[in-house]
């Protein structure tokens, strides 16, 4: 087999750039087939660098002209290959004039300059600027940009770039121009331009300082009825960053532009954020509560990057989590603060932890495991991962937990004081946090350098005579690729102790005077004991409150203790977690019973515990919904040595149908109690009610009679918002009874109706594909049939994700079909996508990460599919890196 060897880049090899750039002037003549770009760059030698050559990167562009200090450079004066242009012996002061040509209409990668629906967009992070011109395209080179855009006025009435619009006017031949100047120095990955037929919702907004700024949300014609929520989210973001961190918007104009062709969620280009339509467009007819929440957090995320990422940026791409982990932490806090109450905050926290466990824990345990600050990569685009983002955010949250609200703010202030306008490292951030608080955070560095999810084992003993309660904590971390031995982490473990009445008891540690009901224990050694004094009764420990560290906690709770915590814990996270532990224990036992062909049953303790939660009117509906949601099939699989998707599915569905059977009256009551009549509002309270109501509905159809199924059907027909409509449709398609053909005609009808009703709404049609891709009735053949549907397209990332990714990642029982047909589909799609869009193809490649976890027969088929992809000609380094690492597992 002929598998190419990828070139690896190492963090230890970092060398400062040989030349700094002061100014960049660019002129674009926009034509889809051939955009002409003229760039003038002033540069000066960095005498501190070991790099003596002048190194420019360039990819997939045509070099038309190259002048240095006014003189045309002859071919012999520089070297040029597919990736770089190198000028040796350049003088210390250099002005380069470069002309390049780009075929944006042929660019299907959505990186660099590309055309979508007739409009021009750019995506430069991480290394897309080099597809526009030759440039030292690395984040530590920060420069001032002036950009002149010229294009046909009819085709491209709107011409946007970073910063301020300083001039515009008409040209000959129906063309016009706009000149933009960005007042702040920035790395090239933050460059952006947008040109085309777009319309905007705009608003003047007054900052706390009194300065007025112009806010715009740009969309395609016909979508102006879906921009209000994004605009509201932007204003909330601006206010929140002023209030919580004292950070003001530094520009006079801030723009958001939506495009339906986008590789990820959104991009924080200075003053000109570009978004996937999924994270901009919303109204109650087409968007769900989840969509509304997603928009709020992504708009916040990109806006917050203006300080954490743009004003202070990354020295090199290994430091990516410096901006991403911190900005995710900031957007999580933003969403939590906006809800405005403690339970709402806790619900948000639990949702975030769920994402971490569902996606990041498997990554940390698989062949792509890497530290929050990776040591090497082949393709940087493969490292925009849940580890860098979500685990990175947990690492930032641990500073917050260790240093407290004020201490964290002091650290942030010092970080900006020291590093504003600079490109820095994760160590600089850690040092600012330490210095601002007079703390030693040396050991904390291991959170950046060691991959894998740490395990914390807890042991407790109570001495009634001495009135001491001793908690023994030990830690370990499984080995990961290239890291066999791990050193102990600095882990904040938040602990409470709960008495038999369910009350928190005041805690005092031996040798300390402070008393509190939650104590942050700092575990720094492999093993440590913590002694609480004056404990005069039996207690149940509530450990890892608010999920104070991204670890797996092992403690041998009894079912009764878990039920007690679920009923009483004052910490909402641990309260929820107790329910999850009860459910996981049962799920695992049931999987093994399914495998052995034994009779299945569910115990009363569990059923009653859930009943009690479901009916507890003191608890927020949103919280009750989280408790009622069982650990996913993916999470169950992660707990097993050999994961068997079919048995897992059967076991989990058994729990659902059994609960539905026993809790029928309670579920019906919850359904009725949580209706939200009147005008739709996406606020957390209403969304929580809908979530619980729709969770109840999904259970009810698991053990259906004619009435409950009709309830779903009626809700579908009468729904006045997308949340309720899609929930009803999902309940009908995803319940166990869908498998025995009952109501199959009704299901076909509603699916057809839904398609017709929303045919012109691309984001809704994505939902239509996903619903089917994830239905238990949908097999590989049906996915192939859907791929033939006129609305399906492999080249639109959202659409490809809605069907292919959804099937491969979220329908495990069908994807892992015994005949390997799911894997064959996967390899065909990866190979097809590889030609169009390597970034998206590499993401799909990740569906095979855990192949060594499946039964032997599956493993063989999965390995063969991986090998087939690895041996494909012209494989991108994106895909090559992922499959090579998977095969090495
Ligand atoms: N920096 C962006 C964010 O976190 C994400 C991003 C990185 C991105 N590379 C991209 C978006 C490529 C689109 C395409 O918000
Ligand atoms: Zn980001």
């Amino acid at each position: 087999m002929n598998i190419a060897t990828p070139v690896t880049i190492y963090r230890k090899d970092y060398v400062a750039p040989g030349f700094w750039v002061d100014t960049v002037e660019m002129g674009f003549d926009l034509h889809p087939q051939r955009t002409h770009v003229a760039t003038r760059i002033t540069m000066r030698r960095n005498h501190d660098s070991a790099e003596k050559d002048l190194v420019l990167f360039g990819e997939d562009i045509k070099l038309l002209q190259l002048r240095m200090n006014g003189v045309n450079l002859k071919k012999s004066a520089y070297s040029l290959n597919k990736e770089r242009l190198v000028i040796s012996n350049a003088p210390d002061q250099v002005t380069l004039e470069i002309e390049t040509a780009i075929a944006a209409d042929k660019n299907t990668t959505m990186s660099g300059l590309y055309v979508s629906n007739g409009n021009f967009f750019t995506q430069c992070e991480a290394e897309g600027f080099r597809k526009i011109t030759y440039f030292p395209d690395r984040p530590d080179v920060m420069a001032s940009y002036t950009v002149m855009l010229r294009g046909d006025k009819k085709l491209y009435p709107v011409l946007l770039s970073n910063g301020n619009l300083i001039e515009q006017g008409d040209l000959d031949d129906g063309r016009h121009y706009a000149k933009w100047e960005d007042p702040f120095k920035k790395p090239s990955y933050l460059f952006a331009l947008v040109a085309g037929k777009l319309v905007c919702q705009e608003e003047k907004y007054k900052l706390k300082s009194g300065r007025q700024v112009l806010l715009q949300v740009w969309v395609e014609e016909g979508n102006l009825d879906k921009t209000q929520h994004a605009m509201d989210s932007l204003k909330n973001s601006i206010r929140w960053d002023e209030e919580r961190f004292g950070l003001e918007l530094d520009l006079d104009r801030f723009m958001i532009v939506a495009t339906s062709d986008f590789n990820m969620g959104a991009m924080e280009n200075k003053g000109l954020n570009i978004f996937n339509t999924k994270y901009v467009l919303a109204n109650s007819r087409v968007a769900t509560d989840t969509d509304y929440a997603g928009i709020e957090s992504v708009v916040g995320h990109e806006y917050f990057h203006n300080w954490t990422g743009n004003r202070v940026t990354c020295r090199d791409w290994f430091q990516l989590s410096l901006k991403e982990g911190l900005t995710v932490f900031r957007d999580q806090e933003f969403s939590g603060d906006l809800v405005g109450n403690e339970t709402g905050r806790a619900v948000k926290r639990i949702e975030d932890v769920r994402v971490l466990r569902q996606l990041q824990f498997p990554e940390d345990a698989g062949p792509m495991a890497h530290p929050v600050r990776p040591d090497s990569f082949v393709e940087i685009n493969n490292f925009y991962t849940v580890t860098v983002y979500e685990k990175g955010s947990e690492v930032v949250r641990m500073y917050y937990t260790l240093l407290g609200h004020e201490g964290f703010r002091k650290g942030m202030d010092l970080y900006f004081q020291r590093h504003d306008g600079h490109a820095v490292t994760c160590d600089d951030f850690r040092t600012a946090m330490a210095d601002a608080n007079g703390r030693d955070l040396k050991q904390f560095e291991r959170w950046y350098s060691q991959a894998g999810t740490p395990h914390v084992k807890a042991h407790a003993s109570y001495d009634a005579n001495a009135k001491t309660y001793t908690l023994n904590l030990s830690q370990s971390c499984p080995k990961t690729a290239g890291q066999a031995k791990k050193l102990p982490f600095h882990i904040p473990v938040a602990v409470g102790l709960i008495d038999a009445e369910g009350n928190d008891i005041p805690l005092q540690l031996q040798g300390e005077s402070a008393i509190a009901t939650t104590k942050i224990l700092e575990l720094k050694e492999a093993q440590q004991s913590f002694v609480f004094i004056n404990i005069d009764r039996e207690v149940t420990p509530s450990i890892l409150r608010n999920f104070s560290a991204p670890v797996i906690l092992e403690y041998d709770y009894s079912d009764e203790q878990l039920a007690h915590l679920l009923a009483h814990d004052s910490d909402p996270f641990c309260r929820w977690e107790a329910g999850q532990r009860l459910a996981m224990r049962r799920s695992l036992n049931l999987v093994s019973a399914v495998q052995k062909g034994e009779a299945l049953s569910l115990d009363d303790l569990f059923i009653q515990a859930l009943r009690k939660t479901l009916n507890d009117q003191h608890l927020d509906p949103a919280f009750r919904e989280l408790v009622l949601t069982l650990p996913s099939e993916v999470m169950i699989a992660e707990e097993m040595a050999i994961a068997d998707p079919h048995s897992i599915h059967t076991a989990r569905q058994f729990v659902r149908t059994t609960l539905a059977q026993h809790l029928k009256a309670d579920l019906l009551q919850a359904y009725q109690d949580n209706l939200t009549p009147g005008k739709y509002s996406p606020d957390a309270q209403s969304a929580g009610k809908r979530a619980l109501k729709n969770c109840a509905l999904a259970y009810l159809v698991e053990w259906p009679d004619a009435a409950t199924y009709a309830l779903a059907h009626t809700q579908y027909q009468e729904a006045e918002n997308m949340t309720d409509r899609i929930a009803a449709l999902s309940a009908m398609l995803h319940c166990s009874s869908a498998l025995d053909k009952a109501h199959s005609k009704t299901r076909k009808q509603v699916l057809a109706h839904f398609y017709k009703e929303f045919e012109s709404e691309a984001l809704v049609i994505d939902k239509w594909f996903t619903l089917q891709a994830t239905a238990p009735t949908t097999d590989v053949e049906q996915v192939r049939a859907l791929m033939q549907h006129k609305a399906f397209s492999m080249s639109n990332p959202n659409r490809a994700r809605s069907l292919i990714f959804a099937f491969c990642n979220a329908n495990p029982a069908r994807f892992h079909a015994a005949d390997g047909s799911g894997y064959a589909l996967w390899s065909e799609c990866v190979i097809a996508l590889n030609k169009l869009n390597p970034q998206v193809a590499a993401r799909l490649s990740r569906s095979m990460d855990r192949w060594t976890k499946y039964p032997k027969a599956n493993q063989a088929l999965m390995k063969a599919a991986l090998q087939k992809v690895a041996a494909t000609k012209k494989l991108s380094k994106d895909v090559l890196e992922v499959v090579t690492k998977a095969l090495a597992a």
Side-chain angles (χ1 to χ4, degrees):
M1 193 152 306
N2 182 13
I3 297 175
T5 341
V7 179
T8 303
I9 310 202
Y10 294 91
R11 179 166 63 88
K12 63 175 167 44
D13 293 343
Y14 172 84
V15 182
F19 284 77
W20 299 114
V21 176
D22 291 312
T23 61
V24 182
E25 292 160 84
M26 305 185 84
F28 287 82
D29 281 291
L30 297 163
H31 296 281
Q33 303 82 6
R34 190 181 167 95
T35 291
H36 185 273
V37 188
T39 310
R40 184 187 293 124
I41 312 168
T42 61
M43 311 177 84
R44 76 194 131 81
R45 184 174 291 280
N46 173 10
H47 293 283
D48 299 333
S49 174
E51 190 172 275
K52 299 302 166 201
D53 291 342
L54 195 162
V55 180
L56 308 173
F57 300 96
E59 241 177 73
D60 304 331
I61 43 177
K62 197 166 167 164
L63 179 63
L64 305 172
Q65 272 275 10
L66 176 59
R67 271 191 299 276
M68 182 164 73
N69 294 338
V71 181
N72 263 338
L73 279 193
K74 280 188 268 164
K75 287 247 162 86
S76 58
Y78 59 92
S79 79
L80 178 64
N81 65 24
K82 285 189 76 170
E83 290 173 354
R84 47 180 89 201
L85 192 165
V86 179
I87 306 173
S88 307
N89 311 314
D92 289 357
Q93 300 283 337
V94 174
T95 298
L96 288 179
E97 290 165 284
I98 306 169
E99 289 176 36
T100 51
I102 309 167
D105 62 339
K106 300 254 159 49
N107 183 359
T108 57
T109 65
M110 283 148 220
S111 149
L113 180 70
Y114 65 98
V115 176
S116 160
N117 259 337
N119 298 328
F120 285 96
F121 295 92
T122 55
Q123 171 56 43
C124 291
E125 189 176 4
E127 298 177 336
F129 192 71
R130 63 189 63 185
K131 295 166 100 178
I132 295 173
T133 189
Y134 287 90
F135 197 79
D137 184 17
R138 40 186 292 170
D140 53 354
V141 173
M142 298 174 83
S144 304
Y145 286 69
T146 309
V147 177
M148 171 69 98
L149 303 174
R150 284 177 291 261
D152 186 278
K153 197 172 178 174
K154 281 231 173 59
L155 293 172
Y156 314 111
V158 175
L159 301 171
L160 309 174
S161 191
N162 316 88
N164 300 318
L165 178 63
I166 54 172
E167 210 182 306
Q168 59 183 329
D170 289 335
L171 298 164
D172 295 341
D173 304 333
R175 293 169 72 77
H176 71 147
Y177 74 92
K179 193 173 179 185
W180 293 82
E181 193 175 72
D182 186 344
F184 294 93
K185 281 182 167 266
K186 65 168 175 287
S188 51
Y189 80 86
L190 291 173
F191 167 84
L193 78 78
V194 171
K197 280 199 198 97
L198 296 164
V199 290
C200 83
Q201 177 184 350
E202 67 177 13
E203 229 170 278
K204 294 229 166 87
Y205 180 85
K206 206 170 175 169
L207 303 178
K208 261 192 165 167
S209 64
R211 188 159 60 82
Q212 231 180 40
V213 293
L214 178 63
L215 309 179
Q216 296 179 322
V217 180
W218 292 90
V219 296
E220 280 181 18
E221 182 113 85
N223 280 330
L224 275 181
D225 60 341
K226 306 190 191 76
T227 54
Q228 189 59 50
H229 183 62
M231 180 60 90
D232 290 342
S233 301
L234 178 58
K235 289 188 285 185
N236 283 332
S237 307
I238 296 174
R239 187 166 13 85
W240 183 84
D241 219 7
E242 288 182 334
E243 283 171 3
R244 175 95 185 245
F245 286 106
L247 298 170
E248 188 184 71
L249 175 56
D250 54 11
L251 294 161
D252 297 331
R253 173 198 285 250
F254 194 88
M255 299 170 280
I256 285 176
V257 188
T259 170
S260 50
D261 289 301
F262 207 67
N263 282 348
M264 306 238 239
M267 180 63 212
E268 69 264 25
N269 316 300
K270 185 82 188 186
L272 181 58
N273 288 184
I274 300 181
F275 276 62
N276 189 323
T277 43
K278 181 174 164 57
Y279 293 106
V280 175
L281 303 181
N283 62 31
S284 61
R285 192 176 101 85
V286 299
T288 63
D289 293 332
T290 311
D291 295 328
Y292 274 84
I295 290 167
E296 179 180 281
S297 77
V298 178
V299 167
H301 181 95
E302 306 313 327
Y303 176 75
F304 303 140
H305 267 315
N306 192 49
W307 279 94
T308 50
N310 301 5
R311 289 287 288 254
V312 182
T313 195
C314 302
R315 186 193 71 171
D316 56 73
W317 290 119
F318 296 103
Q319 319 298 327
L320 183 57
S321 197
L322 173 75
K323 75 177 176 80
E324 296 304 347
L326 177 53
T327 305
V328 170
F329 172 76
R330 274 152 56 69
D331 82 53
Q332 290 176 349
E333 286 293 291
F334 166 62
S335 298
D337 285 350
L338 269 200
V339 183
N341 61 58
E342 277 314 303
T343 357
R345 198 173 232 302
V347 164
K348 167 68 179 155
R349 179 69 187 132
I350 292 165
E351 288 168 350
D352 292 337
V353 173
R354 235 174 19 179
V355 170
L356 186 83
R357 285 183 175 162
Q358 168 94 7
L359 300 173
Q360 198 278 326
F361 281 19
E363 179 165 274
D364 238 348
M368 276 289 288
H370 54 277
V372 164
R373 179 178 60 196
D375 291 317
S376 67
F377 59 72
V378 171
E379 170 52 62
I380 182 57
N381 283 315
N382 286 332
F383 286 80
Y384 287 78
T385 59
V386 277
T387 297
V388 167
Y389 278 65
E390 266 67 28
K391 187 177 181 178
S393 165
E394 294 299 324
V395 170
V396 173
R397 188 174 294 282
M398 285 190 284
Y399 291 108
Y400 183 69
T401 303
L402 287 167
L403 304 173
H405 193 84
E406 316 272 286
F408 185 80
R409 173 63 196 269
K410 277 198 228 159
M412 289 291 281
D413 289 352
L414 185 60
Y415 175 64
F416 291 116
Q417 218 178 74
R418 285 182 177 171
H419 304 300
D420 186 15
H422 294 104
V424 304
T425 67
C426 298
D427 293 322
D428 293 319
F429 183 79
R430 183 168 49 84
T431 307
M433 284 290 156
D435 292 355
N437 291 279
R439 289 276 302 242
D440 176 1
L441 292 174
K442 259 210 167 62
Q443 190 185 347
F444 202 78
E445 195 265 342
R446 291 177 193 158
W447 283 110
Y448 292 93
S449 60
Q450 298 186 140
T453 308
H455 289 240
V456 172
K457 260 204 184 102
H459 253 291
S461 55
Y462 177 52
D463 183 336
N465 291 327
K467 292 191 183 161
T468 57
Y469 185 87
T470 305
L471 201 56
N472 186 277
L473 300 178
S474 63
Q475 58 167 309
S476 64
C477 182
K479 65 172 191 283
T480 48
Q483 292 186 338
K485 278 249 150 35
K486 319 268 170 148
L487 297 166
F489 292 88
H490 181 177
I491 307 176
V493 182
V495 173
L497 299 177
I498 292 171
D499 69 13
E501 260 75 69
N503 298 314
D504 272 329
I505 63 173
L507 303 181
Q508 187 177 3
L509 280 168
Q510 202 162 60
E512 287 185 13
S513 56
I515 296 180
T517 51
T518 299
K519 281 273 180 194
I520 311 288
L521 309 179
E522 294 192 31
L523 175 62
K524 298 173 101 168
E525 316 284 328
Q527 184 177 323
Q528 258 169 282
S529 286
F530 299 88
V531 182
F532 296 97
I533 55 172
N534 304 323
I535 306 293
D536 57 4
R537 33 207 146 140
E538 288 283 346
V539 292
T540 304
S542 165
I543 314 175
L544 210 66
R545 285 187 154 181
N546 200 36
F547 197 64
S548 58
V551 301
I552 293 167
L553 172 71
E554 295 168 21
Y555 179 79
D556 198 11
Y557 283 111
S558 68
D559 278 352
E560 288 69 23
Q561 284 180 310
L562 290 173
H564 189 61
L565 291 174
L566 177 56
H568 300 290
D569 200 329
S570 67
D571 182 74
F573 170 78
C574 283
R575 192 168 182 178
W576 167 78
E577 177 78 328
Q580 294 294 298
R581 283 179 190 269
L582 284 172
M584 181 60 86
R585 201 170 274 178
R586 277 142 191 87
S587 304
L588 292 171
N589 289 337
L590 284 162
V591 173
S592 119
V594 171
Q595 287 170 332
K596 293 188 205 130
E598 294 170 1
L600 309 182
S601 70
L602 201 58
D603 60 302
D604 210 44
L605 178 141
F606 180 62
I607 297 170
Q608 295 314 331
L610 287 197
R611 188 197 307 277
K612 204 168 156 211
T613 308
L614 174 61
N615 295 336
D616 189 340
Q617 305 299 319
H618 299 296
L619 291 171
D620 248 37
F623 180 81
R624 285 186 267 160
E625 190 267 341
L626 289 173
V627 174
L628 267 283
T629 301
L630 303 171
S632 70
E633 293 177 25
V634 169
M635 287 180 186
I636 298 168
E638 283 301 315
E639 298 271 318
M640 299 172 64
I642 294 291
D644 164 5
H646 302 275
S647 308
I648 292 172
H649 182 72
T650 307
R652 188 172 182 276
Q653 285 307 106
F654 171 79
V655 180
R656 289 182 55 80
T657 50
T658 311
L659 286 172
Q661 179 190 1
H662 287 273
L663 303 180
K664 188 159 196 163
D666 312 83
L667 289 163
L668 272 169
Q669 190 62 47
Y671 186 91
Q672 297 303 337
D673 288 349
N674 289 282
L675 298 170
T676 51
K679 193 175 173 306
Y680 172 84
S681 155
D683 68 274
Q685 201 61 36
S686 319
K689 282 185 152 196
R690 278 187 289 273
L692 181 56
K693 175 192 69 185
N694 289 324
C695 170
L697 181 66
Y699 271 110
L700 284 165
V701 294
E702 290 288 358
W703 188 262
D705 52 28
T708 47
Y709 206 82
L711 189 64
H713 195 190
T714 308
Q715 177 172 321
Y716 171 80
Q717 289 167 317
E718 294 176 358
E720 283 172 1
N721 61 70
M722 183 51 79
T723 307
D724 285 340
R725 199 187 277 269
I726 203 124
L729 187 49
S730 163
M732 294 167 81
L733 295 172
H734 290 163
C735 60
S736 305
S737 62
L739 279 167
D740 41 62
K741 302 247 184 325
H743 309 286
S744 74
K745 220 173 124 202
T746 318
R747 285 198 303 273
K748 278 214 182 77
Q749 276 168 2
V750 289
L751 266 176
H753 172 271
F754 188 86
Y755 183 83
K756 250 192 109 211
E757 179 78 15
F758 296 103
E759 196 167 2
S760 63
E761 298 287 350
L763 294 169
V764 183
I765 297 305
D766 289 339
K767 298 184 198 301
W768 182 80
F769 276 110
T770 298
L771 272 176
Q772 296 176 80
T774 54
T777 48
T778 300
D779 60 17
V780 175
E781 280 320 300
Q782 281 164 283
V783 176
R784 286 187 185 278
L786 283 165
M787 287 171 72
Q788 299 305 315
H789 192 281
K790 66 173 192 285
F792 183 74
S793 156
M794 202 59 127
S795 47
N796 175 258
N798 285 358
R799 196 51 55 84
R801 284 187 279 259
S802 76
L803 180 60
I804 312 292
F805 287 55
F807 180 71
C808 296
N809 298 335
N811 198 346
R814 290 294 189 172
F815 176 61
H816 294 280
D819 61 2
S821 55
Y823 312 143
L825 175 76
W826 168 86
S827 58
E828 283 168 42
C829 292
V830 170
I831 292 166
L833 275 168
N834 177 65
K835 288 191 195 138
L836 292 166
N837 190 327
Q839 283 184 37
V840 175
R843 298 266 161 185
L844 181 60
S845 306
R846 301 283 313 268
S847 303
M848 288 289 194
D849 269 12
R850 306 298 272 138
W851 68 279
T852 55
K853 237 183 142 31
Y854 291 91
K856 281 276 176 288
N858 294 69
Q859 279 191 29
L861 294 162
M862 292 175 95
K863 186 173 185 184
L866 278 162
Q867 284 170 329
K868 183 177 169 199
V869 170
T872 304
K873 288 203 192 83
K874 290 199 189 164
L875 203 60
S876 59
K877 54 180 177 171
D878 309 55
V879 175
L880 184 61
E881 176 170 33
V882 174
V883 295
T884 308
K885 286 180 177 170
L887 283 168

